[in-house]
Amino acid sequence: MGILEKIAEIESEMNRTQKNKATEYHLGLLKGKLAKLRAELIEPKSSGPKGDGFDVKRSGDARVALIGFPSVGKSTLLSTITETEAAVSSIDFTTLQATPGRWEYNGAIIQMLDLPGIIEGAAQGVGRGRQVVSTARTADLILMMLDATKSHMQRPLLEKELEAVGIRLNKKKPNIYFKVKTGGGISYNATCKQSQLTEKFVYTLLHQYRIFNAEVLVREDVGLEDFIDVVVGNRIYIPCLYAYNKIDAITIEEVDRIAREDHTIVVSIEKDMNMDAFKESIWRSLDLLQVYTKRHSEYPDFSDGLILRTGATVEEACRAVHKSLLDTFKYALVWGKSAKHNPQRVGLSHPLCNEDVIEIVRK
């Protein structure tokens, strides 16, 4: 029996099993088996040819992957906000390869990646879907394009396909310390009360994965699937923005209902409706910050800032300018929200905020 058949068999058993407190443990073990098989599907053990992939060189300060079913407006969006001429048509599967585009916004260079439309069963390789969702794992943000005129089931269907290849949307990595050891058995400890996870489940799941020596420390209340994700270890946690296109074809009441959903923006690309808010939503979802530099006794250069990740430190700002700065770094002067007073003398570990001004003092 192949991997796909085993996955289908386990999914069938899960669908037949009634979900309640008594079956929670059994369903958790089934999910563990399912996760193991899906991990083998994503990363096959064979050393044969990998086939044609979407090998697009990463460029710019961030990468946004456009994911969606065929004919939802991904190529139209790429052509609208970048200088790329993407193939646009009302016919399904116009885009057959990953098409990159370059978009400049708030001083940042953002790579937009238009991926071919996917269909149900993409995670199992239907319609080049495995290549599409695997490429999405390399993105800093997934922009899920949805058709506001079609079924509301398109969103959960796409989420299911991404989840099947280990992509977790708008979730944080569980605060669990997990380390496989060479001896000593399994050590399990939790610093807070667990509503679902039990010591019995931890032992059984690890034995299922043929792990007999490990240290597990759970620092927050987590679900069974969260622990499975940590054990499997190939999960990617990516922010996702749900963009509902073609709102000009639905009622204002329907637009209002959709717009109130979490991580959602409504837009009509062809009619140029709500495009400014759309671009700003992408920027906010990327969670980037801009830091300006200045030389001693000179004004800051506000024309060309450094683009960094939220939570970046002075050390990362030095690397962004040139890594050799770290060898001669003495201290830095910071003006802005992160400073207790202006300027504040700080070290390499000082966290920066958006629109801070930094002056590097060398030895």
Side-chain angles (χ1 to χ4, degrees), residues 29-173:
L29 293 180
L30 289 176
K31 288 176 182 177
K33 291 180 181 178
L34 196 60
K36 188 177 182 181
L37 291 170
R38 282 175 172 167
E40 291 176 13
L41 200 62
I42 301 167
E43 301 168 0
K45 295 179 181 178
S46 63
S47 57
K50 295 181 180 179
D52 295 329
F54 299 134
D55 187 16
V56 180
K57 184 179 179 181
R58 189 183 181 95
S59 65
D61 301 299
R63 170 182 277 189
V64 177
L66 307 183
I67 289 282
F69 289 118
S71 301
V72 292
K74 301 188 301 298
S75 299
T76 307
L77 173 64
L78 190 73
S79 301
T80 302
I81 68 174
T82 73
E83 298 174 357
T84 305
E85 288 296 327
V88 179
S89 172
S90 59
I91 303 171
D92 289 353
F93 303 108
T94 304
T95 303
L96 300 176
Q97 293 288 337
T99 307
R102 187 175 184 271
W103 176 43
E104 292 188 30
Y105 191 78
N106 283 351
I109 298 173
I110 300 167
Q111 184 185 47
M112 306 289 288
L113 205 56
D114 178 19
L115 299 175
I118 64 176
I119 57 178
E120 194 172 353
Q124 279 74 47
V126 179
R128 303 196 75 184
R130 197 182 304 170
Q131 294 163 294
V132 174
V133 290
S134 294
T135 304
R137 290 170 62 93
T138 66
D140 300 300
L141 171 70
I142 290 178
L143 183 58
M144 191 178 290
M145 296 294 296
L146 303 163
D147 191 334
T149 64
K150 293 184 179 178
S151 169
H152 298 304
M153 286 303 296
Q154 55 186 324
R155 177 166 167 170
L157 283 173
L158 285 170
E159 289 174 334
K160 181 183 176 183
E161 297 300 332
L162 294 174
E163 188 173 317
V165 294
I167 296 175
R168 300 293 177 261
L169 302 177
N170 297 321
K171 288 184 179 179
K172 290 185 178 180
K173 189 175 181 179

Side-chain angles (χ1 to χ4, degrees), residues 247-273:
I247 58 169
D248 55 299
I250 60 175
T251 64
I252 190 65
E253 291 79 15
E254 189 69 8
V255 172
D256 183 64
R257 186 194 65 78
I258 295 173
R260 293 179 185 275
E261 296 179 9
D262 292 336
H263 311 288
T264 298
I265 186 74
V266 292
V267 68
S268 176
I269 300 168
E270 285 193 355
K271 301 293 184 181
D272 196 24
M273 295 172 62

Side-chain angles (χ1 to χ4, degrees), residues 292-342:
Y292 303 103
T293 58
K294 71 178 290 294
R295 296 177 181 273
H296 182 63
S297 300
E298 293 183 11
Y299 287 109
D301 181 11
F302 291 114
S303 63
D304 186 21
L306 301 175
I307 304 298
L308 305 170
R309 301 283 171 197
T310 296
T313 62
V314 171
E315 180 178 356
E316 290 167 77
C318 291
R319 290 184 188 277
V321 176
H322 199 281
K323 61 182 180 181
S324 64
L325 276 178
L326 295 173
D327 299 329
T328 57
F329 179 86
K330 187 175 182 181
Y331 63 88
L333 296 175
V334 176
W335 292 257
K337 294 178 183 177
S338 70
K340 295 179 181 177
H341 46 80
N342 290 318

